[in-house]
Amino acid sequence: MLKSKTFLKKTRAGGVMKIVREHYLRDDIGCGASGCAACGGAHEGPVLEPQPLDPASSLCPQPHYLLPDTNVLLHQIDVLEDPAIRNVIVLQTVLQEVRNRSAPVYKRIRDVTNNQEKHFYTFTNEHHRETYVEQEQGENSNDRNDRAIRVAAKWYNEHLKKMSAENQLQVIFITNDRKNKEKAIEEGIPAFTCEEYIKSLTANPELIDRLACLSEEGNEIESGKIIFSEHLPLSKLQQGIKSGTYLQGTFRASRENYLEATVWVHGDTEENKEIILQGLKNLNRAIHEDIVAVELLPKSQWVAPSSVVLHDEGQNEDDMEKEEERERILKSAVSEKMLKPTGRIVGIIKRNWRPYCGMLSKSDIKESRRHLFTPADKRIPRIRIETRQASTLEGQRIIVAVDGWPRSSRYPNGHFVKNLGEVGDKETETEVLLLEHDVPHQPFSQAVLGFLPKMPWSITEQDMENREDLRHLCVCSVDPPGCTDIDDALHCRELKNGNLEVGVHIADVSHFIRPGNALDQESARRGTTVYLCEKRIDMVPELLSSNLCSLRSNVDRLAFSCIWEMNDNAEILKTRFTKSVINSKASLTYAEAQMRIDSATMNDNITTSLRGLNKLAKILKKRRIEKGALTLSSPEVRFHMDSETHDPIDLQTKELRETNSMVEEFMLLANISVAKKIHEEFSEHALLRKHPAPPPSNYEILVKAAKSKNLEIKTDTAKSLADSLDRADSPIFPYLNTLLRILATRCMMQAVYFCSGMDNDFHHYGLASPIYTHFTSPIRRYADIIVHRLLAVAIGADCTYPELTDKHKLADLCKNLNFRHKMAQYAQRASVAFHTQLFFKSKGIVSEEAYILFVKKNAIVVLIPKYGLEGTVFFEEKDKPKPRLIYDDEVPSLKIEDTVFHIFDKVKVKIMLDSSNLQHQKIRMSLVEPQIPGISVPPDTSNTDMNEPERKKKKLQK
């Protein structure tokens, strides 16, 4: 049956166009109940059970199916995903509305409907002859959709009566819309709110915790006290942004201070790029990463960023007077030039909430169901949830979702989603840090694995087309110990004309991952391999990463080679690129390669090749540094793991050898050579990497710190910075230069991927190179796969495809890659921090020498070179008399009683694991030397917190 709508539309040119919309109605669409004689086998895919054996409902004891409306699907998806909820009819009307309103929920619903065990059935009611409804005159689309849902529910109940008269199957309509529910009951449809139905499932009380807490605006004033000002409606915000009254930007909460945040204003205006917000009322219920509208305050109300460290630790959730007192602490007297544009939030344009990991802070009130949840991420406020299983969830890592934030509530409301496991457990904590940093870590799906080559795999004649056979060359790889995903290998040999031939051979991953298939899409989504302390989250499946693409020794492997002809002075005479086949003669560690180079007795081909490479690398490095490339430092640590428990038993800073530098030099050279080539060929859509020069203000802290030690650091160019860092050393303080380089690293901007057609500044500041890209690690970075594809097209070794030459698609890809790389970096740091805690848990208390990196108003941040560990020493502690603190921002320095601390001063600190806060177990540092009465601690004191690791240790030894 055909329904058609005809309407007239005016065109831009002023003409009139007749539009006919045809809508096909069918009578062969199945109801989804298996065994329904009326429908036959019309339904495909997962179907409803003929006899639903779901948990018994006290409201509806007979067997039934559920039919939720759009809002239930959008807000109660956590309940619907629970294994206890099965046999649900998802209408096409509902699915379309969900798709338009929330892509993440839509994806979750698709996943649930594809799960055979859940028995969710999608019913195409919009194309069924008996359930299709037309919009009536004067009826808005929302009311029409509500009516369509009720019509479908009524049809189902009548249809199922025919199926089994003696066995009364019912369809229950679930809606939280009061009016819709009343209309349904009038029409004879059994209808309940989501809460009523879930509470009636007496066998599954845990489901109640997963209900989203939705307060209607009208019922908000439960405590009667309005704390926050109202958010303006979107229409007013958009008008205000257009007229310039308000500014739109991304809300960034502070980790150090819960009463302070910044808004990064969108757009290209340099003025007011970053706006400071101080005080709860000005933050006005925004949550980290929300898109907000801000009103600038008059200059007389501008403030300076606070140097105070404040964490929200109050138990009494509505103690606003205390908050106001803390806000006054922030407003200390500051010089006029420190003031920054300051504003207040007037409305939320887009909420960017996600499920949050954290722990339950159980209420002190006995039998209370309302508790506060403290997220692991300190930038997220605490969330109020209702749960009946508080005693079992105590000491567990859980996931909670935010539902809303009423004006009368100090904290947002939310609901419990999932229990991850016990706090401190290695598996649980790893899961938390992967979830918190949005690292995709689910096993690869069958759809992805289906695109892997079939085993046993070997190189075919077809693979050899457009490839050079370089298996005769003496190629070897040099990597960290235990590395299985070997991306790169090198060779160096003397040519007959006396010159040298040097080759960098990179795994040919793009041969296996073809554009657009499921494997390619998943690799692009992951963006990078994430290396945790004892776990690797691969970007590509293990068959490729550790086997077919890995350039292991003594096996034939496909590669992409960059080969130079050089003279003895490392000057490039010729460059060529080719797809190739290689056979690596040795997989060495950095230490093994170094041993060969240094050995007086070894003179085999591999060693000769390594010596040639090392000699050239030294020349390349010297030349690069002369151009102004920076040699920066960061304290990297390496854990030695117990082979059985996998706990860290030793922790030391990584040792860098000449061979590390040798490999790095040739990787840099290959990346630069490839960048030039792909930009020559594709000036508009080359994927490149740039490192912007930091703004001068970034260097203030470095310049001041050096000045306090009577050293001058020039920062006008990378070259002057590099030279002044080379000159900045002190014979009586040899570690000073390393500290300056560590501090200089903190001043740097993030390097980013970009598309050449969307930017005109290509310069890489840190490497002092006019152009750069990533080509040398395609097993672990997706950017390199794109670069391989571009290079393959440039040399005629592969064909192009539309997305490769679409600069807007490439720019979007770069945005995702930059995000994934940043998150991988943060996840790696979190993993190091967690393993450092495990190390000090078993080690107990230690005292070590440290150097001050930063001076704050009430604390110093120190670095312990022995462990590459950074931490904060606080000078104001709860329930202790406050010392006399004088902070000078100009120097910067902090005077405590009669002792003055400057950056880079040497101190002695005591390190221990503070387990008093299970959620944020942290390495706690106390000052041992210099001795300040009332502040310093003797190196061997112990209290209950510190003894905890000792007690655990004894238990382990039993």
Side-chain angles (χ1 to χ4, degrees), residues 451-468:
F451 284 96
L452 291 175
K454 302 287 171 277
M455 294 302 282
W457 174 86
S458 60
I459 296 169
T460 63
E461 276 181 38
Q462 200 181 345
D463 293 337
M464 289 305 293
E465 285 173 25
N466 298 325
R467 249 178 225 284
E468 269 186 60

Side-chain angles (χ1 to χ4, degrees), residues 930-944:
Q931 289 185 355
I932 305 170
I935 297 286
S936 302
V937 293
D940 55 350
T941 57
S942 59
N943 62 27
T944 49

Side-chain angles (χ1 to χ4, degrees), residues 652-805:
Q652 63 188 58
T653 47
K654 286 184 186 173
E655 187 186 341
L656 293 177
R657 297 180 171 81
E658 254 184 22
T659 42
N660 291 71
S661 178
M662 174 188 85
V663 173
E664 185 187 8
E665 283 310 313
F666 286 108
M667 296 307 123
L668 293 176
L669 191 62
N671 286 335
I672 292 167
S673 298
V674 171
K676 287 176 184 167
K677 178 71 177 173
I678 61 172
H679 185 245
E680 254 168 49
E681 288 290 327
F682 306 104
S683 59
E684 285 290 293
H685 37 255
L687 191 153
L688 302 175
R689 188 165 175 82
K690 68 170 179 177
H691 182 215
S697 60
N698 279 30
Y699 285 126
E700 274 175 19
I701 187 83
L702 176 67
V703 173
K704 282 179 182 176
K707 198 174 166 190
S708 72
K709 293 284 178 253
N710 300 318
L711 294 167
E712 187 187 13
I713 298 281
K714 289 201 166 83
T715 61
D716 39 344
T717 65
K719 174 89 178 110
S720 58
L721 173 65
D723 291 346
S724 50
L725 281 170
D726 287 342
R727 284 194 299 271
D729 56 359
S730 155
I732 52 165
F733 187 1
Y735 195 64
L736 177 64
N737 193 268
T738 308
L739 285 169
L740 281 166
R741 289 181 195 276
I742 288 170
L743 207 52
T745 310
R746 307 291 167 92
C747 303
M748 293 298 145
M749 307 289 280
Q750 191 83 33
V752 289
Y753 296 111
F754 69 101
C755 171
S756 59
M758 307 291 274
D759 208 320
N760 44 23
D761 171 24
F762 293 8
H763 192 76
H764 196 293
Y765 180 80
L767 298 171
S769 173
I771 191 166
Y772 191 65
T773 192
H774 271 162
F775 163 75
T776 54
S777 296
I779 296 177
R780 59 188 176 89
R781 289 188 306 231
Y782 188 76
D784 303 52
I785 293 179
I786 296 291
V787 170
H788 276 227
R789 288 174 184 168
L790 288 164
L791 185 62
V793 176
I795 64 167
D798 206 341
C799 49
T800 184
Y801 59 100
E803 282 78 10
L804 196 63
T805 51

Side-chain angles (χ1 to χ4, degrees), residues 96-279:
Q96 281 170 346
E97 277 195 285
V98 169
R99 188 180 193 168
N100 294 336
R101 284 167 62 184
S102 170
V105 174
Y106 177 72
K107 186 187 178 300
R108 286 167 73 179
I109 277 294
R110 297 299 313 184
D111 290 345
V112 174
T113 49
N114 290 333
N115 179 352
Q116 303 277 353
E117 290 166 15
K118 290 281 285 171
H119 298 285
F120 272 50
Y121 179 68
T122 310
F123 178 61
T124 322
N125 64 311
E126 294 290 354
H127 289 280
H128 193 289
R129 191 193 293 245
E130 292 177 51
T131 57
Y132 172 72
V133 299
E134 284 194 61
Q135 196 164 341
E136 292 171 355
Q137 222 167 357
E139 185 179 43
N140 66 28
S141 57
N142 205 22
D143 290 343
R144 180 258 165 214
N145 287 348
D146 284 347
R147 190 160 58 85
I149 295 167
R150 291 197 305 276
V151 165
K154 192 165 186 178
W155 174 84
Y156 254 106
N157 276 315
E158 286 165 3
H159 178 80
L160 292 174
K161 274 180 195 164
K162 298 173 197 166
M163 180 177 147
S164 61
E166 72 287 344
N167 203 342
Q168 278 303 297
L169 254 175
Q170 263 191 332
V171 167
I172 294 179
F173 177 40
I174 305 289
T175 178
N176 288 333
D177 181 331
R178 202 170 59 245
K179 285 180 186 165
N180 206 4
K181 183 188 162 191
E182 284 165 9
K183 282 182 185 172
I185 290 167
E186 276 170 32
E187 292 167 19
I189 304 163
F192 302 108
T193 66
C194 193
E195 195 171 336
E196 286 168 346
Y197 180 75
I198 294 302
K199 284 183 174 171
S200 78
L201 303 176
T202 45
N204 297 77
E206 76 285 350
L207 275 177
I208 300 170
D209 288 356
R210 301 186 74 170
L211 278 170
C213 151
L214 300 168
S215 67
E216 292 177 29
E217 287 294 319
N219 307 339
E220 241 180 41
I221 313 172
E222 30 184 312
S223 65
K225 195 173 177 186
I226 296 290
I227 300 171
F228 298 102
S229 54
E230 200 168 350
H231 286 153
L232 297 179
L234 201 54
S235 54
K236 277 196 180 161
L237 296 179
Q238 284 164 339
Q239 278 171 4
I241 289 162
K242 217 172 184 179
S243 66
T245 317
Y246 307 137
L247 296 166
Q248 176 176 330
T250 305
F251 180 83
R252 301 269 167 83
S254 159
R255 271 196 181 87
E256 267 75 47
N257 186 341
Y258 74 102
L259 294 174
E260 187 170 279
T262 51
V263 170
W264 282 83
V265 177
H266 301 169
D268 301 324
T269 51
E270 277 309 305
E271 193 193 10
N272 301 337
K273 189 76 190 148
E274 194 183 350
I275 294 172
I276 274 199
L277 311 168
Q278 263 187 12

